[in-house]
Amino acid sequence: GQQVMQIPQYQHVQEGEDFTTYCNSSTTLSNIQWYKQRPGGHPVFLIQLVKSGEVKKQKRLTFQFGEAKKNSSLHITATQTTDVGTYFCAGLKTSYDKVIFGPGTSLSVIP
Amino acid sequence: GAVVSQHPSWVICKSGTSVKIECRSLDFQATTMFWYRQFPKQSLMLMATSNEGSKATYEQGVEKDKFLINHASLTLSTLTVTSAHPEDSSFYICSARDLQLESGRDEQYFGPGTRLTVT
């Protein structure tokens, strides 16, 4: 079945450093979504990428969808302590399909 | 963003009893809701897809007679854990899908989750 993988599993960075998490799917995706879950909280939708090669920015966050629509990345510039949490990517094989979550990347930011 | 509520936020029950969890979309109609389970420090595992007015679709390995899902209206889905056992203790999260074909909008909004502890 469809699998969504993420690396790294954990990342510890010094405040101010950059951070990147990578997401890979075993199949071509219709779109990919990114979520952030703070410790003790629930997943919060960040963004959806639909087009091949698409790049979207949200302040210090840059999201990219690969040309083959099988991988994606989330890059955070100059991390802050408020960025702490687990970042999940989630892929859909078709527009009407269920969402399959990756295992997540847990980010710790050292002040 | 859209709001999804879940009730209760936490529940402790005795082994063998049943527990019902409600998921509501508060400001949009959701023809599709999803139920996930999340163990500590793990990802969300999809349990079932709930479609309004029809039977839920369960993922492989999820017992449909144990996890009863009812999507009675466009804003409410319920998950009932029947004859709960300690291994059912987990964090259950629902999400409601806001799918608008005309605009291409397709977003999921998650409820705050329900922590179930079975003693």
Side-chain angles (χ1 to χ4, degrees):
Chain A
Q2 179 188 353
Q3 288 189 333
V4 177
M5 294 146 290
Q6 265 182 274
I7 55 169
Q9 187 177 2
Y10 302 99
Q11 185 82 58
H12 305 278
V13 300
Q14 202 76 34
E15 188 172 17
E17 290 182 342
D18 293 354
F19 159 77
T20 304
T21 173
Y22 300 90
C23 178
N24 289 286
S25 168
S26 57
T27 58
T28 302
L29 299 171
S30 167
N31 65 66
I32 199 159
Q33 301 171 359
W34 284 92
Y35 296 81
K36 177 184 179 181
Q37 184 174 24
R38 287 203 163 101
H42 60 90
V44 174
F45 176 87
L46 293 177
I47 209 159
Q48 176 177 274
L49 304 172
V50 179
K51 298 177 183 176
S52 169
E54 187 170 18
V55 178
K56 285 188 176 180
K57 292 191 175 186
Q58 288 180 352
K59 297 182 180 178
R60 294 179 295 105
L61 276 62
T62 302
F63 304 85
Q64 190 165 9
F65 202 6
E67 294 290 340
K69 300 184 76 173
K70 294 179 75 172
N71 56 72
S72 181
S73 65
L74 158 59
H75 179 81
I76 303 178
T77 305
T79 54
Q80 300 174 358
T81 54
T82 52
D83 296 325
V84 166
T86 301
Y87 293 85
F88 294 100
C89 65
L92 283 81
K93 204 159 61 171
T94 66
S95 294
Y96 312 105
D97 208 347
K98 59 195 176 191
V99 175
I100 303 297
F101 279 79
T105 295
S106 178
L107 172 64
S108 299
V109 179
I110 306 163
Chain B
V3 177
V4 175
S5 70
Q6 259 184 264
H7 177 80
S9 56
W10 59 271
V11 57
I12 301 172
C13 70
K14 291 188 176 180
S15 190
T17 61
S18 295
V19 174
K20 181 187 280 189
I21 303 169
E22 292 186 351
C23 177
R24 293 180 186 273
S25 57
L26 299 184
D27 53 2
F28 68 100
Q29 293 183 331
T31 54
T32 303
M33 290 185 173
F34 300 94
W35 287 96
Y36 295 87
R37 184 172 177 172
Q38 187 177 33
F39 290 106
K41 299 189 187 300
Q42 292 189 24
S43 186
L44 291 85
M45 298 300 296
L46 181 64
M47 297 175 66
T49 302
S50 169
N51 293 300
E52 187 266 339
S54 64
K55 289 184 179 179
T57 304
Y58 290 82
E59 294 301 300
Q60 194 171 8
V62 178
E63 299 175 57
K64 59 183 177 184
D65 294 331
K66 180 169 183 62
F67 298 99
L68 301 178
I69 291 173
N70 185 356
H71 197 149
S73 75
L74 288 172
T75 60
L76 173 64
S77 176
T78 62
L79 166 69
T80 302
V81 183
T82 62
S83 187
H85 291 287
E87 57 265 31
D88 297 326
S89 299
S90 186
F91 194 52
Y92 292 87
I93 305 177
C94 72
S95 71
R97 191 172 188 179
D98 186 7
L99 177 62
Q100 298 176 17
L101 297 175
E102 300 82 13
S103 63
R105 178 190 180 93
D106 185 1
E107 296 183 9
Q108 273 194 72
Y109 298 97
F110 282 83
T114 297
R115 186 164 301 283
L116 170 63
T117 302
V118 184
T119 60

